[in-house]
Amino acid sequence: MTTLPGSPPVGGAELAVDTMDLLRFATIGSVDDGKSTLIGRLLFDTRQLFDDQLSAIETASERRGLGELDLSFVTDGLRAEREQGITIDVAYRYAATPHRKFVIADCPGHVQYTRNMATGASTADLALVLVDATSGLREQTRRHICIAALLGVDQLIVCANKMDLVEWDRSAYQHIVDEMEALARRLGIVSCTVIPVSALHGDNVVDRSANMGWYDGPSLLHHLEHVHIASDRNLIDVRFPVQYVIRPRDDRFHDYRGYAGQVASGTYKLGDDVVVLPTGFTSKIAAIDTADGPVDEATPPMSVTIRLADDLDVSRGDMICRPNNQPTVGQDVDAMLETMRAQRPVFTLVERAARSGS
Ligand SMILES: Nc1nc2c(ncn2[C@@H]2O[C@H](COP(=O)(O)OP(=O)(O)OP(=O)(O)O)[C@@H](O)[C@H]2O)c(=O)[nH]1
Ligand SMILES: [Mg+2]
């Protein structure tokens, strides 16, 4: 593992477990660099696949005349994806280890589906960049990294993949480290860790590889479990956009009125004074319900249902805030718009950066 300048320390397992047990990451990088195979390998080697999933993948691999299990089928489920051997749509998978829970978005690498990649990366805490060690960073790899950075994903784990094809050669890995170092500096990437792997054979994915004695860093899984995610979560401004109003029809719950949504920022506690915008009605938090029962407080990114002490007219789209910490209300918005056209999926700025190399 090479940690580029500015990387936060790996470790701090206790911190990770206690405060941020969920890591959302997206695989990005050029087509065929091994993103889906890597996720399949990670889930397979950590025994996250059910027997029926495994036998379906076995059958699909046999049907396509493949001698062995094609682990990319774990995420590439569409017929068109399996026929063409590429990912088209983002596939979400969930995994859990004793250290952390993971939400994984496996994104397509093909330039035609760049917009799908942007969707997948938009909710990620971290991007897992796959780079083929035989070729180094490609234009599409740079494009994906630029888009991720534009979306605020400024922590990267880079897998120098297909190390088996370069005979586990350290210099191929070092070449990728050097290229990434230059690009990360230009884009203001906060942390970037490069790990040499073979997704196909499992080297350095879950367990350390015996094929690369020169590498003394952790495996990918170990790093994913322990990497500290620099949190940009705003705990000061208190914002809860109401997504849905829950009014059960069941007579037993006739007086239940809850406002469901995800805490966008800040902390909500029982008894807190709140104001509902845009109406300006005020009340107190009477209860905070979750799928696992009531809680005393909610922080981002928890999905909860808030009940108020008073029967107010609150509807979808309203925002529950604190009376002394209200957002600015206005009609004018300054925005930077980037378009992605069908023929040439172009983020103008991104495009310039991607093409200019490192
Ligand atoms: N030799 C070798 N081949 C690999 C490795 N990882 C992936 N491959 C092969 O590379 C090809 C592409 O793998 P995928 O996992 O589908 O690549 P991808 O990045 O998901 O491709 P897209 O989603 O279409 O962008 C497949 O034939 C894999 O078997 C590796 O570590 N070594
Ligand atoms: Mg794929």
Side-chain angles (χ1 to χ4, degrees), residues 63-98:
R63 203 177 296 141
R64 306 223 164 266
L66 306 171
E68 51 193 28
L69 213 57
D70 188 333
L71 289 172
S72 71
F73 288 179
V74 172
T75 54
D76 290 344
L78 300 175
R79 186 188 295 168
E81 292 181 319
R82 290 182 176 180
E83 273 170 13
Q84 297 175 48
I86 61 165
T87 303
I88 294 173
D89 206 356
V90 184
Y92 292 92
R93 291 290 177 273
Y94 307 91
T97 70

Side-chain angles (χ1 to χ4, degrees), residues 222-276:
H222 187 277
H223 191 57
L224 283 169
E225 286 179 327
H226 298 110
V227 63
H228 174 64
I229 292 301
S231 174
D232 60 354
R233 280 177 194 139
N234 176 353
L235 292 175
I236 297 169
D237 297 316
V238 183
R239 308 283 185 257
F240 183 84
V242 176
Q243 254 169 19
Y244 192 69
V245 179
I246 298 181
R247 301 274 344 241
R249 289 176 189 276
D250 190 321
D251 284 347
R252 286 171 302 166
F253 305 108
H254 67 278
D255 58 351
Y256 189 101
R257 182 197 290 262
Y259 309 109
Q262 189 177 36
V263 181
S265 61
T267 304
Y268 288 80
K269 293 199 182 102
L270 287 184
D272 276 353
D273 289 318
V274 290
V275 58
V276 180

Side-chain angles (χ1 to χ4, degrees), residues 29-31 80 84 86-89 107-119 139-140 143-144 147 340-346 351:
S30 190
V31 67
Q84 297 175 48
I86 61 165
T87 303
I88 294 173
D89 206 356
C107 297
H110 195 285
V111 69
Q112 192 180 337
Y113 305 116
T114 303
R115 64 184 74 187
N116 294 354
M117 169 271 158
T119 306
E139 180 181 314
Q140 180 70 345
R143 183 178 290 113
H144 273 196
I147 292 170
M340 286 202 266
R341 282 180 277 149
Q343 292 307 311
R344 287 191 339 129
V346 176
E351 206 57 15

Side-chain angles (χ1 to χ4, degrees), residues 31-37 86-87 109 161-162 164-165 198-200:
V31 67
D32 274 354
D33 282 359
K35 300 176 288 301
S36 302
T37 306
I86 61 165
T87 303
N161 190 31
K162 307 195 184 182
D164 52 300
L165 296 183
S198 169
L200 192 63

Side-chain angles (χ1 to χ4, degrees), residues 1 34 37-42 44-45 71 128 130-131 133 157-169 173 194-215 217-222:
M1 175 186 71
T37 306
L38 181 68
I39 296 311
R41 168 61 65 190
L42 194 63
F44 182 77
D45 285 2
L71 289 172
L128 183 60
L130 271 278
V131 180
I157 298 179
V158 178
C159 285
N161 190 31
K162 307 195 184 182
M163 288 299 293
D164 52 300
L165 296 183
V166 294
E167 295 172 354
W168 320 106
D169 178 21
Y173 164 74
V194 189
I195 303 175
V197 305
S198 169
L200 192 63
H201 300 293
D203 295 77
N204 285 339
V205 176
V206 169
D207 298 313
R208 291 277 311 279
S209 166
N211 288 316
M212 289 173 275
W214 46 264
Y215 173 72
S219 69
L220 170 64
L221 177 66
H222 187 277

